[in-house]
């Protein structure tokens, strides 16, 4: 029997007709660093298959009815990020989404906020910026989205009535605002769905996953909404499972729903020992089939999609019990994966019986689909089903991270010479001084170091500027010409300036005479000052003979400065006080006025 005649084919046809599929088959959340390649040849062979499928379609995947299916394309991005070692491809896909993904969103707005959440998550993982999503090519899209709500433009849209709008959307802010609106009776949009986003539980989970990656985290009401889908009837075979419906939970429990929503709950902080998680584990134990699969609600049959989602979160929970569940799921999925021994010819043609070389690593939706491909080839719509099944099922293979552990790619910025400025004159240790720099990216992290010692850090402004200050460490006790360095998020994004520091010191003062007639001239020679070479400036110097007689000047060559002053007319002992860059660099001498 071919997959065209199977129930699994009918399900995928239904999902592909709208945005439900785009949100249903996702894979990934959060982590701070780029992924290393996963262990195991099977996952890497799946990555090779997905990369081939993407590269031949300009780093997107086609759908059944369109040359580009953005939802499926993003699923492949998540899968490759989870497998690890394919950052270049992940980044290329994210760049396509950032540039052209507005086409995926333009009919969504408030009717399907999950699409916004999914694109936001893709850009978070793929190295893009979901807070500045480009809609400059979207025509009246921004205006349409801004006017959907009866109470005016959405605050997160950057869009305003009459077409006067910005060309970017803050996707993260938009998702968070939708949750806030749905949790506010006064907003008039609650409809009894506190904390809800979009149209279904997949949308809600995507919202939780993208918000889990932000500093603000996930609103508790959004997590509670997911948990409310759990079957709590202990007499039901599906007790502990999570269903499509929030009012008929036990009648709608599904493997996809349970695995996906449970992963969202884990990303939001739920763990083993929490009732909602422990009940879900009970469902996994009771409902896992002998072959390791989990049933779909609509057919009651096992499939690789549900197995991938449930097996992944079971592995992530990490107990001996859940690891055993994940091991059985892993074995089931490997039985549906096209391995080296299944390949019978070279090339990419899937229409002939048996598997071509380029299909190694693909994962069938179920055993019927796998057997049909071996005997009759993969025809027409079946090719789309294989791509969709693979992107979701692969996460259930052993050694792959859970949703909240899937790392984002480390996007490499171009090398940049920064322009740095600070005090140009010698400055005393213990002094707080300003430093500025330009040339960074908006929001880029930076550090400031003086002679290799970090003295400040922060985040660049929206224009990529640095404006901060630091205190010269008192441990720098010698007079020295130092390098003040500002470095961005990469070592090749840096700039420096010469910076002179001076330590506490008693300056040397010599007078031309020790007795001077009133009103005559006295020559004062000060040494021990600091004069940096160009482009630095010399140390400041003040010479004061009385309260009313002072000279402000700078050190001369060799750190020496000679000044001539008129002595006061009052006879007796008079003092000459000199000070350099700080009050710790002074000297006092006396002479007599006769």
């Amino acid at each position: 029997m071919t997959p065209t005649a199977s129930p699994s084919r009918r399900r995928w046809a239904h999902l592909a007709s709208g945005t439900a599929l785009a949100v249903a088959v996702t894979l990934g959340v959060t982590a701070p660093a780029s992924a290393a390649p996963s262990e195991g040849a099977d996952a890497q062979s799946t990555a090779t298959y997905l990369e081939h499928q993407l590269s031949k379609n300009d780093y997107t995947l086609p759908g059944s009815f369109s040359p580009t299916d953005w939802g499926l394309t993003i699923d492949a991005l998540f899968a490759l990020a989870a497998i690890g070692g394919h950052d270049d491809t992940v980044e290329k896909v994210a760049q396509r989404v950032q540039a052209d993904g507005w086409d995926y969103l333009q009919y969504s707005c408030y009717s399907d906020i999950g699409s916004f959440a999914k694109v936001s998550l893709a850009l978070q993982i793929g190295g893009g910026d979901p807070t500045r999503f480009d809609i400059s090519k979207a025509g009246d899209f921004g205006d349409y989205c801004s006017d959907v709500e009866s109470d005016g433009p959405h605050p997160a849209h950057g869009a305003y009535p009459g077409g006067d709008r910005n060309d970017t959307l803050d996707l993260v802010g938009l998702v968070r605002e939708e949750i806030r609106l749905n949790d506010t009776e006064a907003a008039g949009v609650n409809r009894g769905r506190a904390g809800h986003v979009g149209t279904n539980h997949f949308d809600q989970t995507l919202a939780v996953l993208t918000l889990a990656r932000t500093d603000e985290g996930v609103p508790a009401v959004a997590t509670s909404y997911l948990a409310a889908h759990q079957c709590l009837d202990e007499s039901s075979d599906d007790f502990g499972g999570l269903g499509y419906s929030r009012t008929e939970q036990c009648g709608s429990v599904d493997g996809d729903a349970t695995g996906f929503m449970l992963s969202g709950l884990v990303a939001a902080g739920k763990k083993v020992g929490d009732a909602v998680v422990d009940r879900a584990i009970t469902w996994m134990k009771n409902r896992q089939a002998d072959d390791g699969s989990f049933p779909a609600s609509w057919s009651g049959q096992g499939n690789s999609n549900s197995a991938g989602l449930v097996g992944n979160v079971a592995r992530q929970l990490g107990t001996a019990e859940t690891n055993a569940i994940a091991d059985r799921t892993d074995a089931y999925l490997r039985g549906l994966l096209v391995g080296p021994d299944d390949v019978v010819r070279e090339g990419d043609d899937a229409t002939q019986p048996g598997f071509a070389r380029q299909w190694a690593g693909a994962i069938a939706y179920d055993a019927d689909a796998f057997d049909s491909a071996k005997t009759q080839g993969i025809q027409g719509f079946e090719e789309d089903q294989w791509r969709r099944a693979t992107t979701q099922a692969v996460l259930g293979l052993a050694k792959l991270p859970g949703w909240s552990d899937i790392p984002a790619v480390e996007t490499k910025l171009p090398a940049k010479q920064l322009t740095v400025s600070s005090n140009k004159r010698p400055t005393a240790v213990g002094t707080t001084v300003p430093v500025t720099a330009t040339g960074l990216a908006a929001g880029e992290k930076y550090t400031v170091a003086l002679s290799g010692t970090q003295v400040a850090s922060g985040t660049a402004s929206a224009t990529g500027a640095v404006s901060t200050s630091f205190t010269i460490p008192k441990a720098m006790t010698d007079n020295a010409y130092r390098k003040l360095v500002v470095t961005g998020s990469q070592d090749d994004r840096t700039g420096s300036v010469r910076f002179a520091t001076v330590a506490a010191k008693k300056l040397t003062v010599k007078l031309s005479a020790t007795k001077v007639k009133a009103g005559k001239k006295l020559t004062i020679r000060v040494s021990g000052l600091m004069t940096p070479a160009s482009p630095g400036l010399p140390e400041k110097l003040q010479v004061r003979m009385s309260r009313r007689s002072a000279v402000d000047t700078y050190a001369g060559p060799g750190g020496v400065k000679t000044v001539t002053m008129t002595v006061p007319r009052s006879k007796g002992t008079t003092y000459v006080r000199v000070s350099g860059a700080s009050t710790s660099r002074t000297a006092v001498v006396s002479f007599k006025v006769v």
Side-chain angles (χ1 to χ4, degrees):
M1 181 175 68
T2 69
T4 304
S6 71
S8 62
R9 182 55 43 83
R10 291 195 297 274
R11 178 187 188 226
W12 284 107
H14 166 71
L15 290 175
S17 66
T19 57
L21 174 65
V23 263
V25 281
T26 47
L27 299 172
V29 211
T30 171
S34 179
S38 65
E39 298 180 31
D42 290 335
Q44 290 301 327
S45 69
T46 299
T48 300
Y49 161 75
L50 289 174
E51 285 191 310
H52 173 69
Q53 295 292 315
L54 287 162
S55 64
K56 68 180 185 179
N57 201 51
D58 196 19
Y59 291 95
T60 68
L61 290 180
S64 298
F65 312 107
S66 62
T68 296
D69 184 316
W70 288 108
L72 179 58
T73 297
I74 293 172
D75 297 336
L77 179 153
F78 293 145
L80 290 170
I83 294 168
H86 303 274
D87 283 3
D88 287 347
T89 301
V90 171
E91 193 170 350
K92 288 176 182 178
V93 175
Q95 289 169 353
R96 286 299 317 273
V97 173
Q98 185 90 52
D100 300 307
W102 59 267
D103 185 52
Y104 174 49
L105 304 181
Q106 63 179 326
Y107 300 111
S108 298
C109 296
Y110 287 87
S111 65
D112 186 8
I113 205 73
S115 299
F116 287 85
K118 184 170 187 178
V119 171
S120 175
L121 183 60
L123 296 180
Q124 287 170 326
I125 291 176
D129 184 359
T131 67
R132 296 184 59 81
F133 184 74
D134 184 14
I135 58 169
S136 60
K137 296 185 290 185
D140 61 358
F141 164 47
D143 300 319
Y144 168 70
C145 282
S146 70
D147 293 330
V148 168
E149 283 294 311
S150 60
D151 56 353
H154 196 298
H157 282 167
Y160 303 92
D164 182 15
R165 60 173 173 80
N166 298 325
D167 285 333
T168 61
L169 289 180
D170 177 3
L171 299 178
V172 176
L174 189 153
V175 171
R176 189 176 297 280
E177 181 67 4
E178 176 71 356
I179 289 175
R180 186 194 69 79
L181 290 173
N182 278 345
D183 192 32
T184 305
E185 293 287 351
V189 294
N190 192 306
R191 304 184 187 92
R193 303 180 303 150
H196 177 251
V197 160
T199 57
N200 59 48
H201 60 290
F202 285 124
D203 298 331
Q204 184 77 9
T205 303
L206 287 163
V208 168
L209 292 175
T210 194
L211 294 180
R213 295 179 61 87
T214 66
D215 292 338
E216 296 87 346
V218 182
V221 68
T223 307
S224 298
Y225 184 86
L226 281 182
H229 288 75
Q230 189 167 50
C231 174
L232 302 179
D233 182 358
E234 295 186 16
S235 66
S236 171
D237 290 342
D238 280 317
F239 169 73
L242 291 147
Y244 290 103
S245 171
R246 201 165 63 99
T247 58
E248 298 180 4
Q249 295 92 332
C250 296
S252 62
V253 169
D254 179 83
D256 282 30
T258 299
F260 192 58
M261 284 195 279
L262 184 57
S263 291
L265 289 166
V266 171
K270 297 297 182 182
K271 58 188 181 300
V272 174
D274 292 332
V276 66
V277 175
D278 290 349
R279 287 191 291 262
I281 293 173
T282 297
W283 179 88
M284 293 181 198
K285 292 189 298 182
N286 292 339
R287 298 294 280 159
Q288 187 172 33
D290 291 341
D291 63 2
S293 66
F294 291 91
S297 61
W298 58 274
S299 69
Q301 301 300 310
N303 61 84
S304 63
N305 298 59
S306 297
L309 290 173
V310 178
N312 176 261
V313 72
R315 181 78 64 190
Q316 186 180 18
L317 291 174
T319 69
E321 192 172 46
T322 60
N323 282 340
I325 293 170
D327 287 343
R328 291 191 291 273
T329 301
D330 173 69
Y332 167 74
L333 291 171
R334 292 178 192 278
L336 298 176
L337 183 143
V338 179
D341 294 341
D342 298 311
V343 173
V344 298
R345 62 181 181 281
E346 298 299 320
D348 194 22
D349 181 13
T351 61
Q352 302 301 313
F355 295 103
R357 178 72 59 190
Q358 300 291 359
W359 282 77
I363 302 174
Y365 179 76
D366 56 20
D368 285 348
F370 189 91
D371 292 342
S372 176
K374 290 185 70 171
T375 59
Q376 302 179 43
I378 301 172
Q379 310 294 331
F381 183 73
E382 295 169 353
E383 191 169 330
D384 180 72
Q385 186 201 51
W386 275 81
R387 284 190 290 263
R388 295 181 190 279
T390 300
T391 57
Q392 183 165 299
V394 67
L395 201 60
L397 295 178
K399 306 297 184 182
L400 267 65
W403 288 71
S404 53
D405 297 325
I406 293 177
V409 301
E410 293 181 347
T411 305
K412 185 172 177 58
L413 296 169
K416 181 73 174 182
Q417 179 67 45
L418 308 182
T419 301
V420 181
S421 62
S422 186
N423 282 9
K424 294 183 178 180
R425 298 189 186 281
T427 307
V429 297
T431 303
T432 298
V433 295
V435 58
T436 61
T438 58
L440 293 172
E444 185 174 355
K445 302 292 185 182
Y446 68 82
T447 59
V448 181
L450 183 62
S451 289
T453 300
Q454 182 174 318
V455 291
S457 63
T459 302
S461 70
T463 60
V466 171
S467 180
T468 188
S469 62
F470 68 94
T471 300
I472 302 173
K474 292 184 178 181
M476 296 180 175
T477 56
D478 58 329
N479 295 352
Y481 307 132
R482 306 179 187 278
K483 182 180 285 189
L484 180 64
V485 181
V486 177
T487 304
S489 57
Q490 300 167 190
D491 289 343
D492 59 0
R493 294 175 61 77
T494 187
S496 64
V497 67
R498 195 167 189 180
F499 189 91
T501 60
V502 291
K505 178 181 181 180
K506 183 177 181 180
L507 302 177
T508 301
V509 181
K510 290 186 177 182
L511 306 180
S512 59
T514 58
K515 296 180 180 180
V516 186
K517 290 183 178 181
K520 297 298 183 179
K521 301 292 185 182
L522 176 68
T523 300
I524 304 164
R525 184 180 185 272
V526 183
S527 60
L529 299 167
M530 189 173 187
T531 305
S534 179
L537 297 176
E539 182 177 0
K540 287 184 177 181
L541 172 67
Q542 184 180 76
V543 182
R544 182 176 292 277
M545 187 176 290
S546 66
R547 293 182 179 178
R548 297 183 179 180
S549 179
V551 173
D552 291 313
T553 184
Y554 303 98
V560 177
K561 184 65 178 182
T562 301
V563 299
T564 300
M565 301 179 69
T566 301
V567 302
R569 295 190 177 278
S570 301
K571 295 181 180 181
T573 300
T574 299
Y575 295 93
V576 174
R577 293 177 172 83
V578 299
S579 59
S582 75
T583 56
S584 66
R585 296 173 60 78
T586 61
V588 179
V589 296
S590 64
F591 68 96
K592 286 187 176 182
V593 180
V594 295

